[in-house]
Amino acid sequence: MTTYHCPQDGTRSPISALTWCCPVCRGPWDLDFRPAAGLTPHVLPGRANSLWRYEEILPLTAPEVSLGEGRTPLVPLTDTVSAKLDYLMPTLSFKDRGAVMLAELARRLNPDRVVADSSGNAGTSVAAYCARAALPCTVYVPEGTSPKKTEQIRAHGARLVTVPGGREATALAARAAADEPGVFYASHVFNPYFLHGTKTYVYELWEDLGGRLPDTLVVPVGNGTLLLGAALATAELHALGLIAARPRLVAVQAEAVSPLAEAFRAGAEDLLPPGSGAPAPTLAEGIAIPRPPRARQILAAVRASGGTFLTVSEDEIRDSQRDLAARGFYVETTGVACWAAVRDGSAHRPPGNVVVPLCGAGVKTGMAG
């Protein structure tokens, strides 16, 4: 049976135990899973037009809760930069890639209830897929979460709990609930099945680009679920002999909340000691994570790829949202961060071919003031 293991101390647990974190260090789990051989571009025609087409590399197959997620378009923005339109997902964000894996796993484990915490998009995804799986669900969100996102969570039938304070307080409240018996914690941070869902972002690029990947993948980073999924996919593709070299991973954070960028620039392997006071507000609410639990893995993945961290200002986020809208793409404020980092005129645009994700639809937040 596939098992969880702790990358810090080696502790293991069966997935059926509903143990949401390592009981020794309280850190996130990784998954003991190795993709099967046999995936090539030639076997894909005729398969389901969703992320489940990559069955050889997924830890779950034959799902019952799919909403047709995945297979989002890749569209040029410039001669060298293309955008993957992951806001064209069933719940209008890339989080569907991981949420469907968590809901399918929960359905098979049949817990008493599912809990999740989120700044919005992960919560809407988990709520939708739990509705599809007929699983009772509670979603914890910080006060100030976009009303459109909380409306969507309620619409899917989930119980919504608004937590005073910021993202960290919300996570602590959800984890306390997750410690109760019979609860499945659908954590997009602690549960590695989520990362095995987000890695399909890169497998789709590999398929659409004819069995290759771009020179650079630019990814927004808060808790790092898309970046770590991308790192997982590039490592698998390389190990399977399906790509000759791995692309650079460039991580983007908002200047206002950029703990990983600060640690990277300091040459640190983990987060720096926290400063005093609360983090500054940012329009990029989806990546405003002051203490991401997988920080060490994120920093190591970026360095191993030869990549770097970039930060963007609030003005750059506003301008880039308007710029994308003028090009026909209506994207939420977090989802424009990568374009803000590498758009026309940027001194930071990496050389070669670049792909950025447009992660969430603009209807989730509206236009920045």
Side-chain angles (χ1 to χ4, degrees), residues 342-367:
V342 302
R343 61 181 281 193
D344 297 335
S346 169
H348 305 295
R349 180 181 293 180
N353 294 313
V354 177
V355 171
V356 300
L358 304 184
C359 294
V363 295
K364 288 186 173 259
T365 59
M367 296 294 289

Side-chain angles (χ1 to χ4, degrees), residues 72-87 201 204-206 208-209 212-220 226 250 324 327 329 331 335-344 349-359:
T72 55
L74 183 65
V75 179
L77 289 175
T78 72
D79 290 344
T80 60
V81 180
S82 295
K84 188 158 174 60
L85 310 190
D86 256 25
Y87 67 88
Y201 172 90
E204 290 177 16
L205 291 175
W206 168 80
D208 289 343
L209 294 174
R212 62 179 182 86
L213 289 176
D215 299 302
T216 303
L217 298 171
V218 181
V219 185
L226 184 54
V250 172
L324 282 172
R327 297 169 185 257
F329 304 98
V331 185
V336 307
C338 290
W339 178 236
V342 302
R343 61 181 281 193
D344 297 335
R349 180 181 293 180
N353 294 313
V354 177
V355 171
V356 300
L358 304 184
C359 294

